[in-house]
Amino acid sequence: QVQLVESGGGLVQPGGSLRLSCTASGFTLDYYAIGWFRQAPGKEREGVSCISLSDGSTYYINSIRGRFTISRDNAKNTIYLQMDSLNAEDTAVYYCARAWGCADFSLPHNFGSWGQGTQVTVSS
């Protein structure tokens, strides 16, 4: 059974850091790309980062570039999203999902096998 499970969300102060995890099971990561998405209250879901697991290429949207880092732990079948210098605009539910590649990763409809999401709240 294909499954993606997110974890690592929580409450953090502005300027703080969190590391989100996306643990995969039921399929071989090497053939796919994994994207991280977020959805804030009243807003549409948006793609923020993607990693192509066939060649390790990584992609970011402009608003998080330099603050967020996507990476992989092969042994744990897990994709991470390290989030630094967080601000209130980063508050959202964060999801991971898979696709065949990172092309147009900002478009959620290109991805499937969505996890349940993990809440990130940035507030003082």
Side-chain angles (χ1 to χ4, degrees):
Q1 180 183 358
V2 173
Q3 193 172 20
L4 294 171
V5 178
E6 304 95 337
S7 61
L11 173 64
V12 63
Q13 292 186 343
S17 298
L18 281 175
R19 188 179 76 164
L20 305 183
S21 299
C22 172
T23 300
S25 60
F27 67 98
T28 302
L29 275 176
D30 288 347
Y31 303 136
Y32 293 91
I34 298 293
W36 279 101
F37 299 78
R38 64 186 181 186
Q39 188 166 17
K43 295 187 177 180
E44 293 188 353
R45 191 170 299 187
E46 66 169 348
V48 297
S49 184
C50 186
I51 183 168
S52 173
L53 297 169
S54 60
D55 64 6
S57 298
T58 58
Y59 305 86
Y60 303 93
I61 58 172
N62 288 336
S63 63
I64 60 93
R65 187 174 286 114
R67 299 190 298 122
F68 291 11
T69 304
I70 191 169
S71 64
R72 172 187 186 179
D73 185 327
N74 292 339
K76 296 183 178 180
N77 231 31
T78 297
I79 306 300
Y80 298 105
L81 187 67
Q82 176 68 40
M83 306 188 297
D84 299 318
S85 301
L86 286 162
N87 57 60
E89 288 68 40
D90 297 315
T91 294
V93 179
Y94 284 72
Y95 302 87
C96 61
R98 72 171 187 174
W100 290 113
C102 287
D104 295 325
F105 76 91
S106 62
L107 302 176
H109 69 256
N110 288 335
F111 287 75
S113 302
W114 293 85
Q116 83 288 348
T118 185
Q119 175 70 49
V120 171
T121 303
V122 184
S123 175
S124 55

